[in-house]
Amino acid sequence: MGGVTDDRATGDEERAARMRLARLAEPGDERLGAAVRATSAREVLDRIECDDRTLPGVAHYRARLTQDPAADHDRLAEIGGRFLVPGDGEWPTQLMALEAAAPWGLFVLGADLRLAAVRSVAVVGARAATQYGLHVASELATDL
């Protein structure tokens, strides 16, 4: 695990754009993922903010632009977390096999992700989970 996974240098603007895209698009959104892979997260975010109608689904993404861009960053700093992106040393290289469906980034709290992932399990679900889904996830996490 770990290692460089992206030829583009991941600067602060690209990291911030990926964090913002995590708010605007569902995980695994291949349509937006393909656009990011073709250019950069910063360029795709600019196209969304400018209402570029050549970007498929731009109206859908723009509807989620109401969140303050600094809110996630501030909250993450407050709890001592970090946001990993492709190219970071802790980035799980296996995620790149997802290609256009790879996550924009990972919100991480705690130990070095490379070490934590040696023996790990992930419980993944929808952002708008049902009460039943939350209950099942809680039961699974407790049993694990």
Side-chain angles (χ1 to χ4, degrees):
M1 262 193 210
V4 175
T5 59
D6 191 352
D7 292 334
R8 291 185 298 264
T10 305
D12 290 340
E13 285 188 14
E14 185 70 7
R15 182 179 307 278
R18 283 177 170 273
M19 187 180 287
R20 187 94 162 116
L21 288 177
R23 275 277 185 195
L24 302 180
E26 294 298 322
D29 184 329
E30 291 186 44
R31 178 175 53 188
L32 205 59
V36 169
R37 287 174 60 90
T39 58
S40 70
R42 179 71 255 166
E43 184 173 324
V44 171
L45 183 57
D46 287 345
R47 292 175 65 193
I48 293 169
E49 290 172 337
C50 293
D51 201 16
D52 179 349
R53 297 298 171 137
T54 64
L55 180 66
V58 71
H60 171 76
Y61 305 121
R62 285 186 55 76
R64 296 181 174 181
L65 278 174
T66 58
Q67 175 73 25
D68 174 12
D72 288 331
H73 177 49
D74 292 347
R75 178 67 179 132
L76 204 55
E78 180 181 307
I79 63 172
R82 57 202 181 282
F83 185 71
L84 302 179
V85 297
D88 286 342
E90 291 183 70
W91 184 262
T93 56
Q94 297 89 332
L95 291 176
M96 299 317 291
L98 297 172
E99 297 179 350
W104 317 114
L106 300 172
F107 293 90
V108 178
L109 183 64
D112 184 311
L113 188 58
R114 291 172 303 210
L115 301 176
V118 172
R119 283 192 62 178
S120 64
V121 173
V123 178
V124 181
R127 289 183 189 160
T130 63
Q131 282 303 112
Y132 177 72
L134 293 171
H135 171 74
V136 170
S138 177
E139 292 292 316
L140 277 170
T142 299
D143 289 346
L144 291 170

